[in-house]
Amino acid sequence: MRYVKILAMIGLVGAIAWLVADPGFEPALAVVAAISALVSAFVVERRLRRQPQQHQSVSKSSTGIQAGGDVNIGNLSSDKHDK
């Protein structure tokens, strides 16, 4: 990911230099594309660093289920047969 950021920065500098040397629509579009690539490289890296977390709460005398996500199991009936 580091190389992608470096290449995006080089592309941005090149696009800005092109815009300064020859102002026009194409160099301006290249600057916008280079900024988009640089921002997306940071966003993708942040998403890759984020670790998924699970939380599971299970009520009394229940069995926990590993479902690959957050799970909450409770007593759905108001009738208490287990005492």
Side-chain angles (χ1 to χ4, degrees), residues 11 13 20 22-23 28-29 32 40 48 69 73 77-78 80 83:
V13 170
V20 169
D22 184 25
L29 195 60
V32 171
S40 66
L48 290 176
I73 301 173
S77 67
S78 61
K80 302 273 184 178
K83 286 202 174 192

Side-chain angles (χ1 to χ4, degrees), residues 12-69:
L12 179 60
V13 170
I16 291 172
W18 184 22
L19 183 64
V20 169
D22 184 25
F25 179 72
E26 288 180 353
L29 195 60
V31 169
V32 171
I35 290 171
S36 299
L38 189 58
V39 169
S40 66
F42 283 102
V43 170
V44 167
E45 182 185 32
R46 179 179 285 170
R47 284 188 182 174
L48 290 176
R49 274 193 275 150
R50 194 179 313 160
Q51 295 293 327
Q53 295 180 355
Q54 285 187 352
H55 176 73
Q56 183 177 27
S57 60
V58 180
S59 65
K60 296 177 187 173
S61 71
S62 294
T63 304
I65 300 171
Q66 294 296 328

